[in-house]
Amino acid sequence: MTTAPPRQAERAGVPAAIAAQDSPRGDKVFSTLALTAGCLILAVLFGVAVFLVVQAIPAFTADPADIQGGKGFLAYIAPIVIGTVIAAAIALVIATPISIGVALFITHFAPRRIASALGYVIDLLAAIPSVIYGAWGASFLAREISPAYVWLAENAGWIPIFSGPASATGKTILTAGIVLSVMVLPIITSLSREIFLQTPKLHEEAALALGATRWEMIKMAVFPFARPGVVSAIMLGLGRALGETMAVALVLSSGALTVSLVQSGNQTIAAEIALNFPEASGLKVATLIAAGLVLFVITLAVNMVARWIISRHKEFSGAN
Amino acid sequence: MTTTDVAPGRSKLTRGRLPGFAPWVSLAVALVLGAAAVAVPGFTPFGWGIASAIIFAIVYVAWSRAVEGGRKAADKLATCLVVGAFLVALLPLVSVIWTVLVAGIPGLLTPGFFTTSMNGVTGVFDNRAVEEGGPVIGGIYHALLGTLMITLLATLISVPVGLLTSIYLVEYGQDKPLARAITFFVDVMTGIPSIVAGLFAAAFFFLVVGPGTKTGFVAAVALSVLMIPVVVRSSEEMLKIVPNELREASYALGVRKWRTILKVVIPTAISGIASGVTLAIARVIGETAPILVTAGFATTINNSPFAGWMASLPTFIYTQILNPTSPSNPAPSDQRAWGAALVLIILVMLLNLVARIVAKAFAPKTGR
């Protein structure tokens, strides 16, 4: 890659036609094009921030009484930020242990020959469009799971998060969280899988040679090596869960902020935008774009921290 | 890890170990006990499976603890949990595909599903279809057309930009600060929520063209924001694995750098690039949120991506489920939505399959 192209002086005697076709100007043009494309990407990311800010300004400067809810932008955004965090937290609590288990199964437990095929199967989960997960969650999962919510509300209702009366349709933030966990599972799995595979073989074999069982080998050799990578995988999953729209918009029957996870209520930023933006106009558009800006900043921060952890450990860079 | 049979029967070496039939005995016990436990609240195959799996883990681990001791038992428990995690992860996949197949096939087989739009289809027709058993009319022609056009436009924008960027990163960047910044922000861009990408495109066109500009082209720009980073990452990986000897051989023959890239580097990597682009298309073709905020949703056929609202398969599914054409009889709308979902899932799976085939079939021959 670092080899210099031939110098002009050495090209004497090349027929004029070929020389014209192969002139140094071509190099100049091509490298400029490549550079422009690269800069365009930076410009787009910058543009995302700038245009969102410009379009959102009216929401910040408007009379608080004009914003939806009548108490200003902060009072409008706070409950849906909390709702977003609740949904993402549920998703991660469910998805993290399962993803790590699946990644371990594929890398260290499954027979070598079928391991990569099993990896493809899990990747299929990532290929299914989010709107189909939403439709599945709304029509199948919510119906099947609602008896469990009724049971939880009756028997564990003294815990605030399970306080009744449970939603009869099952369209609650807990269902939305479960659907989200299915969607982040393939992300955490595939990144963790790459990292588990990169554990030095000699460490693993040394542990086994000293008499460790397979589980002890994983605890002693694989986990310590993979910990930063797995943490960043979880954070990337968090970024996805925070920004996921359709699953929540279709599954959750939204409402005011509530502590209970088995009642309908709560709302996330992304779903709020999707549900209201198509019919919005004027100040409402500005408010929703401002909400999008908040979401952008949150996910950007989460992603940057995750990428920073990855780049500190260069050996994981192939994990993407 | 494998046991070595020193002598037939129970030798000293295999003493203190579970016999080979232990998992099968545990499984049989678990299946019987599981059936008994589930029979009390009401038998379902699903409940039976769950109960049996839990009982199997308990029986197997307890047996191992009694015969082999705590360390081996912990290992067995971990194995059970890990296998269990994998099976649990398969549940939603099977369930989603099953649900879409069962609910989608009636819609797919309805006459005119692929050839008609929703133009003029009102709740009256849906009520009649439910009450008098008539056919469900209305189809996805407009949505399919919109999805194909928007995705094609997004591909036309993303592939040149993404490919040129990856060329810059691999061939010209050489760890310059700008190249490192681009790599970092491309990674960050992969994490942009899709709805924010949609809002960006909407906000951009609201400012430049005029408030309320919603067309297929705006949606294509939004999808490009999501697609470009995927194209850059995959193409970059592919260009990186092109052997340096090929470049040097080309330079040694006096070929300029740009022609080396066009004639040597890219043709060598083309299978990987093509498969990466196909996967990127598969990723954005199912995006709903950005299209919802940039192209709105239409019930009529719109042949121009530059004027007017445009339907697409994902937004069609979304609106048919959330706002059924006939609020009192949502069944026909559900049928259309699931039919569209089946079409979408088939499209995505086909794209994934094509990507794998392209990567395999056109891979450069490496052997001698």
Side-chain angles (χ1 to χ4, degrees):
Chain A
M1 274 178 267
T2 50
T3 322
R7 292 210 314 274
Q8 192 59 30
E10 295 160 355
R11 302 177 55 82
V14 175
I18 296 179
Q21 186 194 25
D22 198 16
S23 73
R25 197 179 298 148
D27 258 350
K28 199 91 198 145
V29 170
F30 194 74
S31 67
T32 314
L33 266 179
L35 182 65
T36 317
C39 294
L40 184 69
I41 288 184
L42 292 185
V44 165
L45 198 68
F46 186 66
V48 171
V50 168
F51 284 111
L52 289 181
V53 169
V54 168
Q55 291 278 313
I57 283 174
F60 299 120
T61 55
D63 182 14
D66 293 339
I67 305 280
Q68 191 185 13
K71 293 197 194 106
F73 183 70
L74 269 183
Y76 166 75
I77 196 79
I80 58 177
V81 168
I82 297 172
T84 309
V85 172
I86 294 175
I90 297 171
L92 282 191
V93 166
I94 298 171
T96 304
I98 297 181
S99 310
I100 293 175
V102 173
L104 275 181
F105 178 75
I106 293 173
T107 53
H108 286 87
F109 285 83
R112 269 299 105 231
R113 213 173 300 160
I114 59 166
S116 68
L118 295 180
Y120 285 144
V121 171
I122 295 298
D123 286 343
L124 278 186
L125 271 176
I128 295 175
S130 57
V131 68
I132 292 179
Y133 277 120
W136 170 76
S139 71
F140 176 81
L141 186 66
R143 191 186 64 219
E144 297 291 322
I145 211 167
S146 60
Y149 292 163
V150 173
W151 185 86
L152 272 177
E154 278 171 8
N155 295 289
W158 48 274
I159 307 173
I161 55 171
F162 294 131
S163 60
S167 158
T169 54
K171 296 191 170 185
T172 70
I173 190 97
L174 188 52
T175 316
I178 294 171
V179 176
L180 284 183
S181 75
V182 177
M183 304 177 72
V184 300
L185 187 139
I187 298 177
I188 305 181
T189 301
S190 66
L191 288 164
S192 309
R193 200 173 74 200
E194 297 285 335
I195 294 154
F196 289 156
L197 278 178
Q198 288 169 15
T199 315
K201 262 274 158 310
L202 287 177
H203 292 192
E204 296 181 5
E205 285 167 3
L208 291 173
L210 289 171
T213 61
R214 181 149 52 174
W215 173 239
E216 285 165 343
M217 178 271 282
I218 288 169
K219 270 198 303 188
M220 290 188 296
V222 178
F223 280 163
F225 175 81
R227 191 167 298 129
V230 171
V231 168
S232 67
I234 294 170
M235 297 208 60
L236 290 179
L238 174 64
R240 172 86 195 264
L242 288 171
E244 183 46 51
T245 315
M246 278 307 134
V248 181
L250 281 168
V251 170
L252 181 63
S253 85
S254 59
L257 189 68
T258 53
V259 182
S260 172
L261 303 181
V262 295
Q263 294 175 15
S264 59
N266 292 326
Q267 177 65 303
T268 70
I269 301 177
E272 172 82 6
I273 299 170
L275 289 171
N276 295 307
F277 197 84
E279 275 102 22
S281 62
L283 189 61
K284 181 79 187 167
V285 171
T287 316
L288 290 173
I289 289 181
L293 185 66
V294 172
L295 179 63
F296 178 59
V297 170
I298 295 173
T299 50
L300 200 65
V302 169
N303 276 300
M304 277 168 79
V305 172
R307 293 293 171 190
W308 178 69
I309 296 174
I310 294 180
S311 65
R312 262 198 333 176
H313 301 259
K314 258 293 187 205
E315 65 267 37
F316 299 139
S317 60
N320 192 24
Chain B
M1 276 180 277
T2 53
T3 58
T4 316
D5 282 333
V6 176
R10 306 278 289 166
S11 80
K12 269 186 186 170
L13 279 171
T14 57
R15 194 178 298 157
R17 278 197 188 180
L18 282 188
F21 56 80
W24 304 110
V25 173
S26 309
L27 185 63
V29 171
L31 287 178
V32 173
L33 287 181
V38 174
V40 181
F43 184 85
T44 54
F46 181 71
W48 185 33
I50 298 279
S52 304
I54 294 170
I55 294 172
F56 170 79
I58 294 170
V59 169
Y60 190 46
V61 171
W63 190 357
S64 164
R65 190 178 177 81
V67 178
E68 297 178 325
R71 285 178 56 222
K72 290 276 174 59
D75 185 46
K76 296 264 183 335
L77 179 63
T79 309
C80 286
L81 288 179
V82 163
V83 175
F86 181 73
L87 295 180
V88 167
L90 286 186
L91 285 180
L93 181 68
V94 174
S95 171
V96 168
I97 292 180
W98 179 250
T99 311
V100 173
L101 274 180
V102 168
I105 285 177
L108 206 62
L109 296 180
T110 310
F113 187 65
F114 286 100
T115 51
T116 55
S117 72
M118 292 296 289
N119 193 7
V121 178
T122 58
V124 179
F125 296 101
D126 278 359
N127 290 340
R128 199 179 297 156
V130 170
E131 283 151 16
E132 297 165 21
V136 176
I137 62 168
I140 57 162
Y141 179 78
H142 60 309
L144 197 56
L145 188 74
T147 284
L148 294 180
M149 261 197 289
I150 291 172
T151 313
L152 181 71
L153 275 176
T155 311
L156 287 181
I157 300 171
S158 312
V159 170
V161 175
L163 192 53
L164 280 170
T165 305
S166 60
I167 288 172
Y168 173 76
L169 291 178
V170 176
E171 307 287 336
Y172 294 100
Q174 287 142 16
D175 260 345
K176 286 179 196 158
L178 180 64
R180 257 181 289 157
I182 292 174
T183 310
F184 182 77
F185 280 107
V186 162
D187 282 344
V188 170
M189 256 174 106
T190 50
I192 290 187
S194 56
I195 191 146
V196 171
L199 284 181
F200 155 70
F204 177 78
F205 280 87
F206 284 9
L207 271 186
V208 175
V209 182
T213 309
K214 287 184 185 175
T215 66
F217 184 68
V218 185
V221 170
L223 290 189
S224 305
V225 174
L226 297 169
M227 199 170 162
I228 288 173
V230 184
V231 175
V232 172
R233 285 310 306 221
S234 61
S235 313
E236 191 192 352
E237 294 298 320
M238 290 304 131
L239 292 179
K240 265 186 194 161
I241 59 173
V242 172
N244 233 358
E245 286 81 354
L246 289 182
R247 296 186 180 87
E248 283 163 4
S250 173
Y251 294 151
L253 292 171
V255 181
R256 293 222 161 258
K257 188 164 186 171
W258 70 282
R259 284 178 66 83
T260 305
I261 293 169
L262 281 183
K263 300 278 177 185
V264 176
V265 177
I266 290 181
T268 313
I270 193 70
S271 72
I273 293 172
S275 123
V277 167
T278 319
L279 285 178
I281 296 174
R283 184 195 153 178
V284 298
I285 203 169
E287 286 290 355
T288 321
I291 299 184
L292 200 64
V293 299
T294 50
F297 37 84
T299 55
T300 54
I301 299 167
N302 179 0
N303 283 316
S304 163
F306 298 98
W309 288 21
M310 202 169 201
S312 65
L313 279 178
T315 52
F316 178 83
I317 299 168
Y318 174 77
T319 48
Q320 285 289 314
I321 288 181
L322 215 58
N323 307 307
T325 312
S326 161
S328 51
N329 285 316
S333 283
D334 272 355
Q335 184 184 326
R336 283 189 290 260
W338 286 108
L342 184 55
V343 173
L344 187 59
I345 237 176
I346 291 173
L347 271 180
V348 172
M349 295 293 164
L350 270 183
L351 284 169
N352 274 287
L353 196 67
V354 166
R356 301 225 179 282
I357 292 174
V358 163
K360 277 249 159 59
F362 298 101
K365 308 282 176 288
T366 46
R368 278 161 203 265

